[in-house]
Amino acid sequence: MGTLTFASPRASSDEVEKRALGARRNRWKVRKKMIIHLWSYLYKHVFRFWVKWILRQLTGKCELQRICDGSKKSSERTLRIEHSLESSKSKVLQSAVHSPEDEVKKYVALIMKEKKIDIHKDTGFALKLQMCLLQITGYKKLYSDVEDLRKCPYNSNNKEHEKELIELWNLLMPHEKLKARITKQWCDIGFQGDDPKTDFRGMGMLGLVNLLYFSKHYTHEARQILVHSNHPKLGYSYAIVGINLTEMAYSLLKNGALKTHFYNLVPSVAQMDHFHRFYCYLACEFDKFWFEEEPESIMYFNQYREKFHEIIKRRLRDHDVVLAL
């Protein structure tokens, strides 16, 4: 016959105390968020205007001029210019960050007129602002182009799509001929089944173009990583991991984390080629990371992917960062 056991009063008391402590911490977190939100609101809608006005009276320069003078030529300057323009109440300044490349000079002139900046007194301002605007609008255009490619589905009836897929095989497996279009051979380069088109559903043609670019421009590295991926203990699916890294690069571009990298790397307008090269950096760094970590099984891939993702995000918080091979 079983016996009944009861928790001691001391244990119950400890549990109550822990719960109370947890509740106090949660209340403090909520209050902290409210304070931060309130301060952000007050600064944006009340204090910011007066701070800017006082600094203009003291320095004789607007916020944009002070940023250009006080920030070195790096992502820090462009990020601060971008924030200033987007936070402005002026429609001209707000619109500048969305201007097409061929209208950037026009918007520089409009901004200088709006802010009453004398070009003869501040001779370097126009050029600095123009460079920042080219970087800002270029980043937005790059994201738009990448998004269009991601939304383009792989179509096995499209001859160009099929040609690029076969080219990927030939670059990675130069000594082995593909026996058929639909074949288990595709698993040898890390696809999941006998037809790779199903693996491109999430990232569309962007996934294939990234894999192909890496194989074309860094052929030695791509083949070396493919060999690594066939390791008997630490192996992984080369193509599937590559498409995962495409998703990572895309998400970093979308949420703005890649601005530090591109604003430091490209002095004017970032192109699709720059995005592909960042993908190549991720492919090489992930392979190195994977073998340094030595995961027990490929079943832990998502866990290690997130760890790698956090490492890259941490690197991108450095205003001087350039992540390139």
Side-chain angles (χ1 to χ4, degrees), residues 16 38 70 97 110 129 137 146 161 164 196 228 232 254 267 287 295 304:
V16 170
L38 178 61
V97 299
L110 288 172
L129 181 61
T137 57
V146 168
H161 292 187
E164 290 181 1
H228 291 173
K254 183 178 180 179
D287 183 67
Y304 283 93

Side-chain angles (χ1 to χ4, degrees), residues 24 40 49 54 56 100 159 176-177 212 252 292 310:
R24 284 197 296 270
S40 298
F49 170 81
I54 291 169
R56 175 133 201 182
K159 290 182 179 179
E176 185 176 338
K177 189 175 180 181
L212 184 57
L252 290 168
E292 285 174 354
E310 288 302 318

Side-chain angles (χ1 to χ4, degrees), residues 167-183:
E167 187 179 5
L168 175 66
W169 173 271
N170 291 334
L171 284 165
L172 291 173
M173 305 288 280
H175 305 300
E176 185 176 338
K177 189 175 180 181
L178 199 62
K179 294 174 183 176
R181 165 61 181 80
I182 297 178
T183 170

Side-chain angles (χ1 to χ4, degrees), residues 12-23:
S12 299
S13 176
D14 288 344
E15 187 64 31
V16 170
E17 190 175 333
K18 284 180 182 178
R19 288 178 182 175
L21 181 60

Side-chain angles (χ1 to χ4, degrees), residues 2 5 31 44 50 59 100 106 111-112 129-131 166 174 182 186 216 229 255 279 284-285 293 298 301 317:
T5 58
R31 287 172 187 163
K44 183 178 180 181
W50 292 107
T59 64
K106 181 187 83 172
I111 289 170
M112 293 185 73
L129 181 61
Q130 181 180 331
M131 189 175 80
I166 300 302
I182 297 178
W186 290 112
K216 265 186 179 180
S229 73
N255 66 27
Y279 166 83
C284 291
E285 286 295 302
E293 292 290 321
I298 190 65
F301 173 75
R317 292 188 194 110

Side-chain angles (χ1 to χ4, degrees), residues 25-234:
R25 284 175 177 168
N26 288 335
R27 285 197 295 270
W28 165 242
K29 286 179 182 178
V30 171
R31 287 172 187 163
K32 188 177 178 182
K33 285 182 181 179
M34 289 177 62
I35 291 169
I36 292 172
H37 180 74
L38 178 61
W39 169 250
S40 298
Y41 178 85
L42 290 174
Y43 178 78
K44 183 178 180 181
H45 296 280
V46 181
F47 301 135
R48 189 171 186 271
F49 170 81
W50 292 107
V51 170
K52 287 170 63 179
W53 183 83
I54 291 169
L55 289 172
R56 175 133 201 182
Q57 302 310 307
L58 293 172
T59 64
K61 294 182 177 182
C62 71
E63 183 178 51
L64 295 172
Q65 288 174 291
R66 295 194 301 274
I67 292 171
C68 287
D69 288 347
S71 302
K72 61 182 179 179
K73 183 183 176 182
S74 72
S75 66
E76 182 182 4
R77 177 195 290 170
T78 306
L79 287 167
R80 291 182 64 193
I81 289 288
E82 186 173 14
H83 179 262
S84 179
L85 293 172
E86 289 178 341
S87 302
S88 176
K89 294 180 179 179
S90 165
K91 295 297 182 184
V92 172
L93 273 66
Q94 289 177 11
S95 301
V97 299
H98 301 288
S99 61
E101 183 182 348
D102 57 357
E103 291 188 12
V104 164
K105 282 188 177 180
K106 181 187 83 172
Y107 270 95
V108 170
L110 288 172
I111 289 170
M112 293 185 73
K113 182 180 179 182
E114 177 90 2
K115 306 303 289 185
K116 299 180 175 60
I117 298 170
D118 189 341
I119 194 170
H120 301 294
K121 289 183 179 180
D122 196 342
T123 55
F125 174 75
L127 186 60
K128 290 176 183 176
L129 181 61
Q130 181 180 331
M131 189 175 80
C132 289
L133 274 179
L134 284 170
Q135 291 182 311
I136 293 164
T137 57
Y139 189 94
K140 293 181 186 298
K141 177 64 165 57
L142 174 61
Y143 170 68
S144 176
D145 292 343
V146 168
E147 179 70 355
D148 287 343
L149 191 56
R150 186 190 71 83
K151 287 181 177 178
C152 177
Y154 183 91
N155 183 356
S156 54
N157 294 319
N158 186 312
K159 290 182 179 179
E160 192 59 35
H161 292 187
E162 289 285 286
K163 180 183 174 184
E164 290 181 1
L165 182 59
I166 300 302
E167 187 179 5
L168 175 66
W169 173 271
N170 291 334
L171 284 165
L172 291 173
M173 305 288 280
H175 305 300
E176 185 176 338
K177 189 175 180 181
L178 199 62
K179 294 174 183 176
R181 165 61 181 80
I182 297 178
T183 170
K184 288 294 183 183
Q185 283 179 285
W186 290 112
C187 296
D188 294 342
I189 61 172
F191 287 104
Q192 293 184 109
D194 56 9
D195 191 351
K197 74 174 185 180
T198 58
D199 294 325
F200 294 121
R201 286 173 183 164
M203 286 291 108
M205 280 301 293
L206 182 63
L208 175 56
V209 171
N210 273 168
L211 285 167
L212 184 57
Y213 185 96
F214 186 41
S215 301
K216 265 186 179 180
H217 296 270
Y218 297 93
T219 309
H220 173 73
E221 289 83 355
R223 289 175 182 171
Q224 191 174 52
I225 291 174
L226 177 60
V227 171
H228 291 173
S229 73
N230 289 315
H231 189 280
K233 183 182 177 183
L234 300 174

